[in-house]
Structures are given as structure tokens and as C-alpha cells.
Amino acid sequence: MIQAIFSQAPVAALIFILTIITSIYTFSNPQLYGKLMLHPYSVTRGERVYSIITSGFIHADWGHLFFNMFSFYFFAFTLEGIIGSGQFAILYLVSLILSDLSTIMRHKDDFRYNSLGASGAISAIIFSYILFDPSTKFYIMFIPIGIPAVIFGVLYLLYSAYASKQSSGINHDAHFYGALSGLIITIIFNPGVLSHFFSEIQRMVGH
């Protein structure tokens, strides 16, 4: 089964496994955990620039890791099959970077501020997928009815808006900018997807 997953969606599988391993490892390695976190104060001064990427492969705790990987699992493997591995890799990495830019500028003078999590890139994946198949329903534990992908995306952003007001070190603000990046990058690579999306929405409403 693992071999089949790697053959069908190698980039998503690699990111999935690497994120889980890195996150779990840093839970018990505070020194490495601190080095990999995004530190806007340092980044804007030309230091620890690598943390823009590495911060997306670590998480605050088990709950944070589960929530992000749960969402990743739902959307990423299928999306890579739709757009191809090359485009998927670009979408993920570019969105990870772009989603952090607002956070970096907002906290560039706050030495105490750090953030982490794959929120921006995963949000990009979700909204990229929504453009292709907004009506697909997902069944989540404790919720007895299927949730259309487009509704899941909206709920995801609403949760992020709420969570961003909490002081946790988790970069929830990146969700919105990641979603925007995912939409823009997907439309650039696939211009016809926008008309397809609206046709699907009309079909959902009409149905």
C-alpha cells in the first residue's frame, strides 16, 4: 500500500512522512525545535532565512500535528494526481513561503515572536482542490453528514480566524494567505479551472 501511495503521489507522500517524523522528533528536542521555528526578527535581518521553510515541517503539539496532517491526507494525495507532481511541489513550497510573508512583516521588530506549522501550505492545497472539485463530500469523525469541500474550506478559514486570536505560537494567520496563494497559483497553471469551479457551484446550487 505504501509503495502504491508513493507511486501515485510521491511528493505528497514524502511531505506527509517528513512532516510527521520531523514534528515528532522535535517534540523531544527543544534545541532543534527552536532553530527550525520561524523567527521574523532574524529573517528580516538576513538570519535564519531557512526557517521560512523548516517551520512548515514542525508543529506545536500532537493536536496541531493531527489537525494539519488530517487535512493534508484528505486533499493532498488526490490533488497531486490531478495537477501532477511538479505542479504540486511548486504549489506547496511557494505557498508555504508566500503565506509567511505577512507574518514576517507584521512581527519583524518583535524579537520574542516565533511561529510554526504547515498551515499556509495546507490551506493552499485545500483551496486548490476546491477549485477542481468543490462538491466532493468528506466525512469527519463525530459529524454524521458529509461536508462538501467548499464548505470545509470556509469552516477551515473561520476556525483559523478564531484561533489566530489565541497566543499559541501556531501561525494561524498563514491560513488565509495560504488559501489565496493556492487559488492564484492554481489559476495561473490551470486558467480554465475557474470556469469549471463556477459551473460546479451552479450545479450544486441547482441540484
Side-chain angles (χ1 to χ4, degrees), residues 104-125:
I104 292 171
M105 297 312 298
R106 181 178 176 184
H107 297 281
K108 62 184 177 67
D109 296 318
D110 186 355
F111 182 80
R112 295 177 298 175
Y113 182 84
N114 293 278
S115 72
L116 75 171
S119 305
I122 292 175
S123 188
I125 286 174

Side-chain angles (χ1 to χ4, degrees), residues 145-193:
I145 59 173
I147 302 176
V150 66
I151 302 300
F152 183 95
V154 172
L155 294 175
Y156 190 75
L157 287 185
L158 288 175
Y159 164 77
S160 302
Y162 166 76
S164 66
K165 294 177 171 47
Q166 315 303 314
S167 178
S168 61
I170 301 172
N171 192 0
H172 291 288
D173 289 337
H175 284 79
F176 174 77
Y177 296 101
L180 187 61
S181 298
L183 291 172
I184 293 173
I185 293 171
T186 302
I187 292 171
I188 289 174
F189 278 116
N190 308 273
V193 74

Side-chain angles (χ1 to χ4, degrees), residues 10-24:
V11 177
L14 180 61
I15 292 172
F16 186 71
I17 293 172
L18 183 60
T19 301
I20 291 175
I21 291 175
T22 305
S23 296
I24 293 175

Side-chain angles (χ1 to χ4, degrees), residues 23-79:
S23 296
I24 293 175
Y25 181 74
T26 53
F27 286 160
S28 58
N29 191 325
Q31 186 175 6
L32 180 61
Y33 184 77
K35 289 181 178 179
L36 298 184
M37 290 181 73
L38 175 66
H39 189 227
Y41 183 91
S42 295
V43 171
T44 54
R45 288 158 178 79
E47 302 173 1
R48 291 176 56 185
V49 178
Y50 64 84
S51 67
I52 298 175
I53 299 294
T54 59
S55 61
F57 289 87
I58 59 175
H59 290 78
D61 50 41
W62 286 99
H64 184 209
L65 175 63
F66 175 79
F67 178 74
N68 269 349
M69 291 301 96
F70 182 73
S71 301
F72 185 95
Y73 178 81
F74 261 156
F75 295 92
F77 295 97
T78 304
L79 179 63

